[in-house]
Amino acid sequence: MKRSMTLLLLGILASSTMAQTTASQTAKQVTRNSSAQAVQTATAPTAPKASAISCGCEGEPPPEVLAIVNGAKITAKEVDDALRMPLAEIQRQVTEARRLELDLQINSRLLDAEAKKRGKTSSQVLEEEVLAKVKAPTEADVKAYFDQHKEQMDSAFEDARPYLADYLRSQRQAEIAKAFAERLRAAADLKVLVRESTPPQTAPDRDRIFAMLNGQAITSANIEDTLQPLLMQAQKQIYNLRKTHLDLRINDLLLEQEAQKRKLTARAVIEADVLPKVKKITEADARQFYEGNKERLLGDFAQLRDQLIQYLAENERQRAQLAFADRLRSAAVVQIFLKIPEVPRLTIAMDDQPWKGGEHATVTIVEFTDYQCASCAQAQPIIEDLLKEYGDKVKLVVRDFPLSRHAQAFKAAEAAEAARQQGKYWEYSALLFQNQQNLEASKLKEYATQAGLDRQAFDESLDAGKFAESIQRDIRDGKALGISATPALFVNGKPLNERTREALKEAIESALKDRGAN
């Protein structure tokens, strides 16, 4: 599914479904990160379930009781009431994504059909009909927009200019794309039967037809299958919100219980046991933090000094509070019944992709990689070692996901495909990972010679961008799967959260056990 192209056709490039970013957000700020402490887990007792979030973005609803702390219960309602606004925002985002998805699928199919009719790729059609017609915003355009929205801006014009130029350009692209999509729709046999798609409640609901396009049905199943990565992300967000708040509520409850036991106020307990252990932050501490993070900070030390001292002092206070909470937990009986959501098995296209290992293997690892990514290079020996260990039981399929911040990664991916055309993909890709700092076009051609490739054929393919559309397809599919970083690994369709050898081996063993092939 060519989703990034379809998003362009819908004219919504300026906003993402899961996160809104405005042009005025041009400054990086010091942010706080806090992590909840691990606690004892237990099997949930049989209990009524709390009501599920109605957007279909939650699989199994949480139990009515999320935790018991020294006999005191913390309910799902109590936690969700405290999280009403962030949970409602996730529900809104998923609902909006489901609303848009029908239009996305219609436009995607129309684009594919138009490209086929013209004998071109979808990228070429978009280039002709949309991108080539977009006029770049002038300096005057950007300045006028800045002046009109000056009160909303949190930075000077010079700092905001590149972001605003991109924003205005995307708006113009959106307008042209929307007009193009409307022309395609007007020429098609399109009947939209359902305007507001809702999540299916039963298996038969998945067969419900939402639209007919040139005689082909778009069903609820088409919508839900495409949204699966988004729903998985939403479930993870909901779990993390609940888990974080639950941990905080447990800590608060333990503090209340400790205060009652001592016949003191909670504040008095904090003043006696926590505050004396909080390290005082000095200017030297702030300076050390600044030097280690100045590339991510906006401003010089003199400007940020007070903010950094405040930030570090708050971190120290939280550290002391968590240490105190750990001591209370170690002497308490804490049971947690909130479960991590089960990771769904995603459908990942593997046709016409480089692979090695067992052709009919029980376990398939799909790797989305970037030849300029240091973590990808570090992952290769781990994957190769496990392929040797498991033999024909495991198959590796590689797809490309060159990140936009890696300027040479896209062309390197094209070069690897050109090498695959000559049967030397694995030899050539190994050279790319060994030479990540030298991936300019001239070097890519040198590596072709080292790999024993026909240089004339290789150079012609690389110079002509013969495999650019193939790489774009991988990127589009990767984004649809929710990928934002590399390497992204999937074991039998399930995403791997950690990139360690231990995590990958555990996932392989689990997949073998599921298939009864261990």
Side-chain angles (χ1 to χ4, degrees):
M1 187 68 69
K2 298 173 176 54
R3 295 179 59 72
S4 61
M5 291 184 179
T6 315
L7 286 170
L8 179 61
L9 279 174
L10 276 174
I12 56 173
L13 287 176
S15 64
S16 149
T17 307
M18 288 300 293
Q20 297 291 328
T21 303
T22 65
S24 62
Q25 292 173 327
T26 60
K28 297 178 182 177
Q29 299 176 344
V30 177
T31 57
R32 298 189 311 176
N33 292 316
S34 60
S35 59
Q37 300 296 301
V39 296
Q40 175 187 354
T41 58
T43 303
T46 302
K49 300 292 185 179
S51 59
I53 295 175
S54 61
C55 61
C57 51
E58 186 170 32
E60 189 71 18
E64 189 175 78
V65 176
L66 295 186
I68 301 177
V69 182
N70 290 332
K73 295 179 180 179
I74 301 174
T75 66
K77 182 180 185 306
E78 176 185 351
V79 171
D80 283 7
D81 282 350
L83 297 172
R84 187 178 294 110
M85 289 184 65
L87 291 178
E89 177 59 17
I90 293 174
Q91 179 174 354
R92 185 197 66 76
Q93 291 169 352
V94 173
T95 300
E96 178 68 5
R98 183 173 279 106
R99 185 185 68 79
L100 290 174
E101 186 57 35
L102 179 59
D103 278 335
L104 289 173
Q105 296 216 11
I106 290 170
N107 287 359
S108 179
R109 296 187 187 194
L110 287 170
L111 178 62
D112 287 345
E114 182 67 15
K116 184 177 180 180
K117 184 172 69 176
R118 299 187 189 188
K120 297 180 178 180
T121 66
S122 298
S123 295
Q124 289 171 331
V125 173
L126 277 179
E127 178 67 35
E128 293 174 358
E129 295 291 343
V130 179
L131 301 180
K133 297 179 180 180
V134 176
K135 293 182 179 179
T138 65
E139 183 84 358
D141 294 333
V142 178
K143 186 63 167 62
Y145 184 90
F146 180 86
D147 290 339
Q148 289 171 8
H149 301 83
K150 188 177 296 184
E151 293 182 359
Q152 303 167 24
M153 300 294 171
D154 56 5
S155 60
F157 174 69
E158 286 303 316
D159 294 327
R161 179 169 52 183
Y163 300 92
L164 295 178
D166 287 343
Y167 175 76
L168 292 175
R169 186 182 296 107
S170 70
Q171 289 294 299
R172 293 177 181 184
Q173 286 178 342
E175 292 171 3
I176 296 171
K178 183 178 180 181
F180 178 48
E182 288 173 351
R183 292 200 304 273
L184 292 180
R185 284 177 174 238
D189 180 11
L190 173 63
K191 295 182 179 65
V192 178
L193 307 177
V194 177
R195 290 293 174 184
E196 293 293 332
S197 59
T198 55
Q201 301 300 314
T202 64
D205 285 348
R206 287 174 55 85
D207 296 328
R208 185 183 178 196
I209 297 175
F210 285 175
M212 293 294 299
L213 177 60
N214 295 330
Q216 293 186 330
I218 299 176
T219 67
S220 175
N222 297 137
I223 303 294
E224 296 304 312
D225 290 347
T226 306
L227 287 177
Q228 195 174 40
L230 178 68
L231 297 175
M232 181 178 67
Q233 181 185 355
Q235 287 178 19
K236 187 184 298 184
Q237 288 177 326
I238 292 168
Y239 170 80
N240 288 337
L241 281 170
R242 284 181 175 143
K243 180 66 167 62
T244 299
H245 188 80
L246 181 60
D247 278 330
L248 293 174
R249 182 67 191 105
I250 289 170
N251 290 350
D252 288 344
L253 190 53
L254 286 169
L255 175 60
E256 292 167 11
Q257 292 173 348
E258 181 69 12
Q260 289 175 2
K261 186 168 66 176
R262 298 192 198 180
K263 297 183 179 180
L264 297 172
T265 64
R267 181 179 180 81
V269 173
I270 292 293
E271 289 176 347
D273 287 52
V274 177
L275 297 184
K277 296 180 174 62
V278 177
K279 174 188 172 184
K280 185 175 181 180
I281 299 301
T282 65
E283 183 168 329
D285 295 325
R287 169 73 70 176
Q288 182 179 4
F289 181 88
Y290 175 81
E291 293 299 332
N293 298 274
K294 60 184 176 183
E295 292 183 0
R296 299 188 292 115
L297 301 174
L298 186 66
D300 57 28
F301 178 73
Q303 294 173 306
L304 298 175
R305 175 187 173 278
D306 292 343
Q307 287 178 266
L308 292 176
I309 289 176
Q310 183 180 0
Y311 168 73
L312 293 174
E314 177 64 17
N315 278 357
E316 280 299 314
R317 187 183 66 79
Q318 289 182 4
R319 181 197 59 76
Q321 286 181 331
L322 288 174
F324 178 60
D326 283 344
R327 294 198 300 274
L328 293 181
R329 288 189 185 214
S330 65
V333 178
V334 179
Q335 294 175 293
I336 293 182
F337 308 123
L338 180 65
K339 294 181 180 179
I340 297 175
E342 184 177 350
V343 178
R345 199 179 305 278
L346 303 176
T347 300
I348 305 173
M350 292 179 282
D351 56 299
D352 191 27
Q353 302 294 336
W355 65 274
K356 62 164 53 175
E359 183 175 2
H360 303 292
T362 305
V363 178
T364 298
I365 302 170
V366 178
E367 178 190 13
F368 283 79
T369 194
D370 175 323
Y371 291 111
Q372 219 174 331
C373 164
S375 297
C376 294
Q378 293 165 7
Q380 300 318 301
I382 295 173
I383 297 171
E384 291 290 341
D385 182 51
L386 290 172
L387 285 174
K388 291 177 183 176
E389 179 178 339
Y390 286 96
D392 289 344
K393 292 181 181 179
V394 175
K395 176 181 181 179
L396 170 67
V397 178
V398 177
R399 300 197 62 178
D400 294 297
F401 199 81
L403 301 170
S404 58
R405 67 175 177 271
H406 291 157
Q408 297 170 334
F410 192 97
K411 206 65 180 177
E414 290 184 63
E417 284 298 306
R420 181 160 77 103
Q421 189 179 37
Q422 297 187 38
K424 292 287 187 74
Y425 173 82
W426 299 104
E427 297 90 336
Y428 189 83
S429 62
L431 287 171
L432 295 179
F433 282 124
Q434 292 165 16
N435 296 276
Q436 287 189 309
Q437 305 306 314
N438 298 286
L439 296 179
E440 55 269 25
S442 60
K443 289 293 185 180
L444 296 177
K445 293 175 181 179
E446 286 183 23
Y447 305 146
T449 299
Q450 292 180 35
L453 299 175
D454 177 338
R455 273 293 301 275
Q456 182 178 349
F458 178 91
D459 291 1
E460 288 176 356
S461 294
L462 190 64
D463 293 341
K466 180 177 179 180
F467 299 102
E469 175 62 21
S470 173
I471 310 305
Q472 289 286 6
R473 175 202 172 194
D474 283 4
I475 293 172
R476 291 192 295 269
D477 286 357
K479 287 181 178 179
L481 291 166
I483 296 172
S484 59
T486 54
L489 298 168
F490 298 80
V491 178
N492 279 3
K494 290 194 173 185
L496 193 70
N497 292 325
E498 297 180 26
R499 302 163 186 167
T500 63
R501 185 185 192 281
E502 294 73 20
L504 181 54
K505 183 177 176 65
E506 182 181 346
I508 293 171
E509 290 288 343
S510 177
L512 287 171
K513 184 178 179 181
D514 287 346
R515 299 291 179 89
N518 209 347

